[in-house]
Amino acid sequence: MTATTTAPPTTPRRTGKTVSLSARRRRTAAVAWLFVTPFVVTFGIFGLIPLISSFGMSFTDMHARDIRSPFAVNFVGLENFVTVLTNTSFLKALRNTLLFVAVGVPLSLFLSLVLAVLLNSLGKRAAAFFRVGYYTPVVTTIVAVAIVWRIMYQNTGVINTMLGWVGIDGPNWLSDTRTALFALTVMAVWRSLGSTMVIFLAGLQGIPQEVKEAASVDGANPVQSFFRITIPIMMPTILLNAILTTTGFMQFFDEPFVMTNGGPLESTTSIALQVYNQFKYGNYAVGSAGAYVLFVLIGIFAIIQFRFFRQRT
């Protein structure tokens, strides 16, 4: 008797089109562009077009009176840039901005790094509490902050009162040309500590614990471990904070606009405030040229910082 083997029933193959990998990628790209299109359109209308228009405007003699016929203006070449770079008020604003950056950026980076190291050594609950406290000025409106600091800077304010306790007669901070810019610098550093500190804190928490333990086993004390291990590992984070802080401080505008309006005697006028004033007075072409001078300065600072920190990374 011979045994017969029965083949297993075959499952019918489903009929239909097989989607290729390229088709899937095209479909994914189409969906992605569908979601990003609103931003692209909005940026093009309110960002890219004004950017290109202002660049072209900087080479013309456009004034407020030409707003109804913007294409009837005359081409003047680099005349507006020469006007900006030889204007006494703009040169004062340039000096104030560079001094503000030279003092404010290192001070902000140093203090925020110190605070981040201290918070990183605390427990999670205590660190979260202080992190929220230090970050609050970042999300607080500049008007509210300016009112508080103007009260503090008054002759009978908190700062002069505390100085009087140690026998120091405090100046009129915002009305003295020798102290006004320094007073605004202190306020700006205080406002920027929160955001810079949070980035530093994230970088510190990203350092592997094994690296710290290995340094401790090798006999490195906390100071040596900080300067020889923590700082080199944190160089990309320091670079990021340096660029963000410098870019923000170069666009120094809110503090002098709200608190001093550039005074006294233009001692707190910044490049951004000077550009704003040119637009306010109807000098659109000169204002656009000043804005692009500021843009070039920010780019130069960014390049210098990239090269400086890249050699130490």
Side-chain angles (χ1 to χ4, degrees), residues 21-270:
L21 181 59
S22 60
R24 292 179 182 177
R25 290 179 176 175
R26 288 195 297 269
R27 183 181 301 175
T28 303
V31 174
W33 275 108
L34 180 63
F35 281 99
V36 81
T37 296
F39 168 78
V40 173
V41 173
T42 304
F43 174 75
I45 296 176
F46 299 101
L48 189 58
I49 294 177
L51 186 67
I52 298 174
S53 301
S54 63
F55 183 72
M57 190 189 305
S58 63
F59 297 98
T60 65
D61 60 351
M62 188 172 186
H63 197 268
R65 60 179 177 272
D66 302 316
I67 196 67
R68 293 186 178 181
S69 55
F71 297 103
V73 295
N74 299 316
F75 179 79
V76 296
L78 299 177
E79 181 178 330
N80 293 322
F81 292 92
V82 174
T83 301
V84 167
L85 296 176
T86 56
N87 182 267
T88 304
S89 297
F90 183 86
L91 294 179
K92 287 184 180 180
L94 175 61
R95 181 189 66 85
N96 295 336
T97 303
L98 294 179
L99 185 60
F100 177 75
V101 171
V103 176
V105 171
L107 190 60
S108 178
L109 293 177
F110 173 75
L111 293 178
S112 58
L113 181 58
V114 171
L115 290 175
V117 171
L118 294 177
L119 290 183
N120 193 45
S121 63
L122 299 177
K124 292 184 177 180
R125 293 185 178 180
F129 172 78
F130 285 104
R131 186 166 61 244
V132 171
Y134 283 114
Y135 196 77
T136 300
V138 179
V139 297
T140 305
T141 174
I142 180 60
V143 176
V145 172
I147 292 175
V148 173
W149 278 86
R150 288 187 67 174
I151 296 174
M152 293 173 58
Y153 278 137
Q154 289 178 353
N155 288 332
T156 57
V158 176
I159 296 177
N160 283 352
T161 300
M162 295 177 64
L163 291 176
W165 294 345
V166 293
I168 299 177
D169 187 13
N172 192 352
W173 293 94
L174 299 179
S175 300
D176 192 333
T177 57
R178 298 169 296 179
T179 59
L181 184 61
F182 175 76
L184 296 186
T185 304
V186 172
M187 172 186 168
V189 169
W190 175 80
R191 284 192 68 206
S192 65
L193 280 180
S195 57
T196 312
M197 180 202 64
V198 168
I199 297 176
F200 275 140
L201 189 59
L204 289 171
Q205 293 176 349
I207 299 177
Q209 190 65 27
E210 295 80 4
V211 177
K212 299 179 182 179
E213 294 175 354
S216 179
V217 171
D218 290 340
N221 57 45
V223 177
Q224 292 174 334
S225 177
F226 178 77
F227 284 101
R228 297 187 179 183
I229 296 177
T230 302
I231 292 297
I233 295 177
M234 287 278 293
M235 274 299 172
T237 307
I238 296 175
L239 172 61
L240 173 64
N241 263 335
I243 292 177
L244 292 178
T245 307
T246 303
T247 303
F249 276 47
M250 285 293 294
Q251 301 177 67
F252 179 45
F253 175 79
D254 294 338
E255 291 82 358
F257 177 75
V258 175
M259 298 186 66
T260 62
N261 197 25
L265 300 177
E266 298 183 336
S267 61
T268 59
T269 301
S270 63

